[in-house]
């Protein structure tokens, strides 16, 4: 009878585990018992990084975005190339552009010391993106956790799925719609360009060849971005307050001071003009919509349960 009871309990536990894996979902409390200091470790590291380099807040946010838009939030963007593997770092939208990998490495090292083998790189990236925004006076949001890390990446998907700076409004709407976002969420997420900088090569055509641009703004930016050469010279996406997360980005669009072609497309006598105007005078609405859209983005196709792995080193698979 004891053996039978034991067998029954063993089978029951197995069924419960299978059910638990099948119903795995993200939760803000996922690491509450297994890594209780996780959030404070990440926050401290991000605050330190941003205080040393204010641009880092935008860089961490962009890392998360470029991860999630390519086959979901699975930390695939962090994988280095190897002799037998090509990752996403050399994709057009990422090469010579993405940064913050060293900050994620630092956080991962500290987290592994505190609770080895427990926390995924994908979760670290999601929390670091939030904390980078908060460090620059932006909104906060609850990050649900429990993602696992991919064991592969896709160079082709990174080249095709990340919306580029030259897209027009219809293409932007389609790109975001493909990921489940509506036009309002597109505008809210684009507001992330209230922080960070862009390379000359991404906006050269706009400042020299486009008509829907403030002339004095164009002249000012041209001083940092010649017609040829200097491709990697940087200019702030928001030239008013580039290290503060606020609504100046939208005000810039209304005055035709959007740096990227794709930015100004949001305010160019099109269907999103009204939303840009609304955010430009209502930071509370923008913050709320941005936070909600970030929660939605961080939930794009996560690996859950027994899928994927928890990488010990974010740059390579176990």
């Amino acid at each position: 009878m004891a053996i039978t009871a034991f067998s029954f309990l063993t089978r029951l536990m197995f069924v419960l585990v299978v059910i638990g894996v099948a119903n795995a979902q993200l939760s803000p409390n996922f690491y509450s018992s297994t890594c209780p200091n996780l959030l404070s470790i990440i926050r401290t590291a991000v605050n330190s990084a941003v205080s040393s380099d204010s641009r880092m807040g935008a860089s961490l946010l962009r890392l998360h975005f470029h991860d999630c838009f390519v086959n979901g939030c699975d930390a695939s963007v962090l994988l280095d190339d190897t002799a037998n593997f090509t990752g996403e770092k050399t994709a057009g939208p990422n090469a010579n552009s993405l940064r913050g990998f060293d900050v994620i490495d630092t956080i991962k090292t500290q987290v592994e010391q505190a609770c080895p083998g427990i926390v995924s790189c994908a979760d670290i990236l999601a929390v670091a993106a939030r904390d980078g925004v908060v460090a620059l006076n932006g909104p906060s949001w609850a990050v649900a956790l429990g993602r696992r890390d991919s064991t592969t990446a896709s160079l082709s998907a990174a080249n095709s799925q990340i919306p580029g700076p030259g897209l027009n409004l219809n293409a932007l709407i389609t790109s975001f719609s493909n990921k489940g976002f509506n036009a309002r969420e597109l505008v809210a997420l684009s507001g992330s360009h209230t922080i960070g900088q862009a390379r000359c090569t991404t906006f050269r055509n706009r400042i020299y060849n486009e008509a829907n641009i403030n002339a004095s703004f164009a002249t000012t930016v041209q001083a940092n971005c010649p017609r040829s050469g200097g491709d990697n010279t940087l200019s702030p996406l928001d030239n008013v307050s580039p290290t503060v997360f606020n609504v100046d980005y939208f005000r810039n669009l209304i005055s035709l001071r959007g740096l990227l072609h794709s930015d100004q497309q949001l305010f160019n006598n099109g269907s999103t003009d009204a939303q840009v105007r609304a955010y430009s005078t209502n930071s509370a609405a923008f913050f709320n919509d941005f936070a909600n859209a970030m929660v939605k983005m961080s939930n794009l196709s996560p690996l859950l349960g027994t899928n994927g792995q928890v990488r010990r080193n974010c740059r390579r698979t176990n």
Side-chain angles (χ1 to χ4, degrees), residues 5 25 51 54-55 77 79 87 106 109 125 132 183 210 224 286 298:
Q25 58 185 5
S51 66
S54 58
R55 184 183 170 207
V77 73
L79 289 171
T106 297
T109 298
L125 200 48
E210 295 188 3
N224 262 346
F286 167 49
S298 71

Side-chain angles (χ1 to χ4, degrees), residues 20-308:
V21 169
N23 295 329
Q25 58 185 5
L26 301 179
S27 164
N29 303 315
F30 189 82
Y31 300 111
S32 59
S33 61
T34 55
C35 195
N37 295 324
L38 173 65
L39 296 183
S40 63
I41 292 172
I42 298 176
R43 183 173 59 251
T44 300
V46 170
N47 286 344
S48 175
V50 173
S51 66
S52 299
D53 175 10
S54 58
R55 184 183 170 207
M56 190 53 67
S59 297
L60 293 171
L61 177 60
R62 189 161 179 258
L63 259 186
H64 182 44
F65 172 72
H66 282 222
D67 179 35
C68 293
F69 257 58
V70 180
N71 299 326
C73 307
D74 59 4
S76 59
V77 73
L78 302 178
L79 289 171
D80 283 342
D81 292 354
T82 69
N84 305 310
F85 173 85
T86 302
E88 297 166 12
K89 291 181 177 179
T90 56
N94 298 339
N96 302 312
S97 177
L98 283 186
R99 58 199 298 272
F101 298 107
D102 54 335
V103 176
I104 299 300
D105 289 340
T106 297
I107 295 171
K108 179 62 172 175
T109 298
Q110 294 174 358
V111 170
E112 283 296 302
Q113 290 172 349
C115 32
I118 299 295
V119 181
S120 68
C121 299
D123 278 345
I124 289 173
L125 200 48
V127 176
R130 187 271 311 276
D131 290 351
V133 169
V134 172
L136 297 176
N137 300 329
S140 185
W141 56 92
V143 179
L145 302 168
R147 299 165 193 77
R148 288 167 65 85
D149 300 323
S150 68
T151 55
T152 186
S154 176
L155 179 66
S156 60
N159 276 319
S160 64
Q161 295 181 12
I162 297 171
L167 295 187
N168 62 27
L169 181 59
N170 285 339
L172 285 169
I173 289 173
T174 298
S175 176
F176 278 76
S177 176
N178 287 341
K179 301 298 179 181
F181 296 102
N182 59 34
R184 180 179 180 127
E185 291 165 329
L186 156 65
V187 176
L189 288 172
S190 297
S192 62
H193 286 181
T194 184
I195 54 176
Q197 302 186 51
R199 295 175 298 145
C200 170
T201 185
T202 63
F203 57 82
R204 176 183 283 120
N205 184 65
R206 169 158 168 73
I207 62 173
Y208 286 103
N209 300 319
E210 295 188 3
N212 61 340
I213 187 169
N214 178 281
S216 63
F217 171 71
T219 300
T220 298
V221 179
Q222 286 168 6
N224 262 346
C225 181
R227 286 185 180 272
S228 63
D231 283 1
N232 292 320
T233 303
L234 300 171
S235 288
L237 288 158
D238 166 10
N239 70 331
V240 176
S241 54
T243 61
V244 180
F245 199 98
N246 57 24
V247 298
D248 282 341
Y249 167 79
F250 300 107
R251 293 170 178 168
N252 292 339
L253 298 185
I254 292 172
S255 60
L256 302 184
R257 295 170 185 266
L259 183 66
L260 304 179
H261 174 83
S262 56
D263 287 329
Q264 197 60 59
Q265 283 290 295
L266 300 180
F267 192 86
N268 192 41
N269 299 313
S271 59
T272 53
D273 282 16
Q275 193 58 57
V276 170
R277 285 193 184 278
Y279 286 152
S280 74
T281 59
N282 191 335
S283 61
F286 167 49
F287 276 27
N288 182 71
D289 286 358
F290 180 82
N292 288 335
M294 284 300 299
V295 169
K296 185 173 178 177
M297 189 183 79
S298 71
N299 289 340
L300 287 176
S301 304
L303 295 172
L304 301 172
T306 56
N307 294 317

